[in-house]
Amino acid sequence: MKLNSKLLFVLFLVSGLISCSNKKNSESLQLLPMPQEVVVDWSKKHQLKNGEIDADKISVKFISSFPEEEGYRLSVTPDSVIIEAVNDKGVFWAKQTLNQLILQAQNSNQYIPQVVITDWPAFRVRGFMHDVGRSFISVEELKKQISLLSQYKVNVFHWHLTENQGWRLESKRFPQLNDSSSFTRLHGKYYTIEDAHEIADWARQHNMMLIPEIDMPGHSAAFVRAMGVDMQSPEGMKILKELMEEICTEVFPDAEYIHIGTDEVQFTNPDFVPEMVEYVRGFGKKVISWNPGWNYKPGEIDATQLWSYKGKAQPGIPAIDSKFHYINHFDAFGDIVALYNSRIYNQVQGSDDIAGSILAIWNDRYLPTEKDIILQNYFYPNMMAFAERTWRGGGSEYFDKNGVILPTDENDPVFIEFANFEDRMLWHKKYIFADEPFPYVKQTHLKWNITDPFPNGGDLDMSFPPEENLSDSYTYEGEVYNANPAVGAGIYLRHVWGQTVPAFYDNPQENHTAYAYTWVWSPKSQKVGLWASTQDYSRSEADLAAPQGQWDYRGSKIWINNQELPAPVWENTHTEKTNEITLKNENYIAREPIEVQLNKGWNKILLKLPVGKFSTPEVRLQKWMYTFIFVTPDGKEAMPGLIYSPSKIKE
């Protein structure tokens, strides 16, 4: 993969116009990501035979040029299927699109409409990262994820293999790195060289580039425990060079890139990074480094990966955007909105300097199983939003306008685009991810009113007028407090990253109390499930579970039909913060839905949402937020037939 290729901007604009002109046609195709150009003729049909396309009717033609090397053209007529591309990459992506068309036909009328799809990626890097230094994900699970995500044109797997907690890659030259005594978490769990070859080969088969990361010289306590020296010392550098020779020539001989970390460390040896970059390059590898990290000039590094709000692309150095893409801090319903709507590094398409993006999971907090890593990080829903944005390009902001909040106007183009994506994503949840953790249900029909925040002076138990009656406006101590509309199942009043990412309140302040309310119409008296939470627990924090009998440390309350809903019984009861005690049922997705009895007709929902300090000893990053949605008792989908309306309007 070239990190200095460039798309043709004029063609990108033309494709956008063509795609818009065919919107009515393309809407009913359940494609994800939606291709750049789609022209459909529903009057002409390619009929499936026994649920499949006749292989004799499929032909592949290699053409001399296309706007981007991964691009393709897929033409389906009543009697033929033609794939055109400049190389095997484009053919592979065309086949993924064709497979989605076939799957839709198999589950509907057994035919594909006549269609011409002209498609290519806006960004050349579209990846996901697993931190297996702090965790361990089996080879079979990683292969399954590579296989699934390649269907959505994700083309990079970033494998973060080493950390303070453990060196997870076998070394035959220095076996002490893999000795159980060198680990502080998941002792002795590591990938053999054969495992690494298997993952690399599997990624190659699925059109996915593998980027192994060996973090240096920071995040290297496991190396120090095993070898007895610091990486930046002369002896440490000698050992590390021999290790990198083994990794570059024996473990990952075909890897185009090696990631060397360089983040969150004090550099004591000014020669360390330049010397290691030169050494790794000597094996024919290109080198990636975190930014912030070591400071490079053009030519001194092959690409940088941006992290935190401080990450900044540099002219002449291809950049991979991961600034706001750490999903270990994400909730299920708000952050996916910002992720889907936001451009990649505020660019509508890639360039020589902006290569693309990688979505990352960091496992600072120990989670008990690999399923929990996928489930509690809302991995697959976020990857679907990410796959579409990195392939199609565009976006309406860069985590800086509406942020995690959906527009309340259903005619707003941003709302329309997200709702369309949501429908397609849920189709894929049903037909592709039925057996996988996929903690997302339809949320674009949930309507709320949220009050202006009342000052509580630090008294989180204070009561305010909404507890007496629901209204569009309140007068309290001579001041007017209005209720304003919101849409969605998860609403941030203030984002976990503060005002860096916009949330419901433009200028949230400590020591205030908000109220959210709606009415829910049910066609009958029935028992339903409920996902409810007032604090999404980040998977990279040592935060304590709430006190028993409380939803959080802020005094939040939930009433349904004027009856207070008891908080769950928390399984974690420890009182000293640690990352080594696993999250248990703190996050609603890790427990069974709460059983709730709904009345026939309108049901009153009221949430009290106080906040004191935005950072407390128990919870470092308070998420002033709530999640609330009725689901089927098994939690598989949003409860059908319900209407959410703060004005009691049945639409």
Side-chain angles (χ1 to χ4, degrees), residues 3 34 75 101 205 244 325 335 474 505 512 543 553:
L3 286 178
M34 184 58 73
S75 304
L101 291 171
Q205 291 178 41
M244 294 311 295
H325 299 80
D335 286 293
Y474 301 93
Y505 291 135
H512 281 76
D543 298 330
Y553 283 93

Side-chain angles (χ1 to χ4, degrees), residues 236-521:
M237 287 187 69
K238 180 181 177 181
I239 295 169
L240 188 57
K241 284 182 177 180
E242 189 168 346
L243 265 171
M244 294 311 295
E245 179 186 17
E246 181 182 30
I247 288 167
C248 291
T249 63
E250 299 173 23
V251 185
F252 298 112
D254 299 323
E256 183 177 354
Y257 287 88
I258 299 291
H259 199 308
I260 64 168
T262 80
D263 62 311
E264 295 184 312
V265 65
Q266 181 179 355
F267 295 104
T268 58
N269 181 349
D271 297 324
F272 177 87
V273 173
E275 197 167 324
M276 291 309 302
V277 170
E278 181 182 6
Y279 188 77
V280 173
R281 280 177 164 178
F283 296 104
K285 307 298 186 185
K286 298 174 184 175
V287 183
I288 303 175
S289 177
W290 290 104
N291 175 332
W294 185 259
N295 294 319
Y296 300 96
K297 295 178 181 178
E300 294 178 347
I301 195 72
D302 298 293
T304 57
Q305 186 171 356
L306 314 181
W307 71 283
S308 92
Y309 68 95
K310 296 179 181 178
K312 188 175 181 180
Q314 299 170 254
I317 302 177
I320 300 166
D321 184 12
S322 295
K323 291 182 61 172
F324 300 109
H325 299 80
Y326 284 8
I327 62 174
N328 41 283
H329 283 297
F330 280 23
D331 82 319
F333 292 106
D335 286 293
I336 193 173
V337 172
L339 180 65
Y340 182 78
N341 289 335
S342 290
R343 295 179 284 268
I344 303 303
Y345 201 69
N346 214 15
Q347 303 296 309
V348 297
Q349 66 158 31
S351 64
D352 286 351
D353 288 342
I354 306 301
S357 184
I358 292 175
L359 206 66
I361 296 178
W362 297 103
N363 299 301
D364 300 81
R365 183 73 178 263
Y366 178 39
L367 288 173
T369 68
E370 58 191 20
K371 178 182 177 181
D372 280 292
I373 293 172
I374 303 309
L375 178 70
Q376 296 203 44
N377 286 295
Y378 320 108
F379 177 65
Y380 284 123
N382 282 306
M383 283 305 304
M384 295 300 97
F386 178 82
E388 177 142 308
R389 183 56 61 215
T390 52
W391 180 271
R392 281 191 59 80
S396 57
E397 60 177 280
Y398 185 59
F399 303 93
D400 58 359
K401 185 180 177 183
N402 294 322
V404 292
I405 302 299
L406 274 169
T408 56
D409 179 1
E410 294 182 3
N411 294 314
D412 187 310
V414 174
F415 181 92
I416 292 171
E417 185 178 357
F418 183 84
N420 176 271
F421 158 73
E422 180 184 67
D423 287 344
R424 287 181 286 116
M425 176 174 67
L426 290 173
W427 189 92
H428 285 262
K429 174 186 177 180
K430 180 178 180 179
Y431 291 107
I432 300 292
F433 295 96
D435 298 323
E436 301 302 321
F438 202 102
Y440 185 93
V441 298
K442 186 176 180 65
Q443 65 160 329
T444 47
H445 62 300
L446 270 72
K447 298 179 180 179
W448 298 89
N449 273 355
I450 301 176
T451 67
D452 293 333
F454 297 87
N456 62 38
D459 183 354
L460 304 183
D461 294 325
M462 282 186 69
S463 296
F464 297 95
E467 293 182 41
E468 301 299 323
N469 67 289
L470 302 185
S471 174
D472 292 338
S473 182
Y474 301 93
T475 300
Y476 176 75
E477 295 188 347
E479 298 289 336
V480 175
Y481 295 82
N482 294 316
N484 298 293
V487 172
I491 308 293
Y492 278 100
L493 305 181
R494 177 185 183 270
H495 194 259
V496 62
W497 293 322
Q499 290 174 254
T500 302
V501 175
F504 185 79
Y505 291 135
D506 292 335
N507 186 28
Q509 300 293 315
E510 295 181 335
N511 300 325
H512 281 76
T513 297
Y515 291 85
Y517 69 86
T518 193
W519 293 86
V520 178
W521 184 85

Side-chain angles (χ1 to χ4, degrees), residues 523-535:
K524 61 182 179 180
S525 175
Q526 59 180 327
K527 288 183 178 179
V528 299
L530 172 63
W531 285 350
S533 174
T534 58
Q535 172 73 30

Side-chain angles (χ1 to χ4, degrees), residues 185-247:
R185 185 187 288 181
L186 296 168
H187 296 263
K189 283 276 193 179
Y190 62 91
Y191 301 94
T192 66
I193 294 176
E194 289 73 21
D195 291 336
H197 290 169
E198 185 175 352
I199 291 293
D201 183 61
W202 189 256
R204 192 179 308 110
Q205 291 178 41
H206 290 81
N207 214 18
M208 196 173 290
M209 180 170 71
L210 176 64
I211 299 178
E213 181 180 356
I214 307 299
D215 211 339
M216 61 180 81
H219 297 269
S220 56
F223 176 94
V224 173
R225 284 191 297 274
M227 309 312 302
V229 293
D230 182 85
M231 276 188 178
Q232 297 187 72
S233 68
E235 182 62 23
M237 287 187 69
K238 180 181 177 181
I239 295 169
L240 188 57
K241 284 182 177 180
E242 189 168 346
L243 265 171
M244 294 311 295
E245 179 186 17
E246 181 182 30
I247 288 167

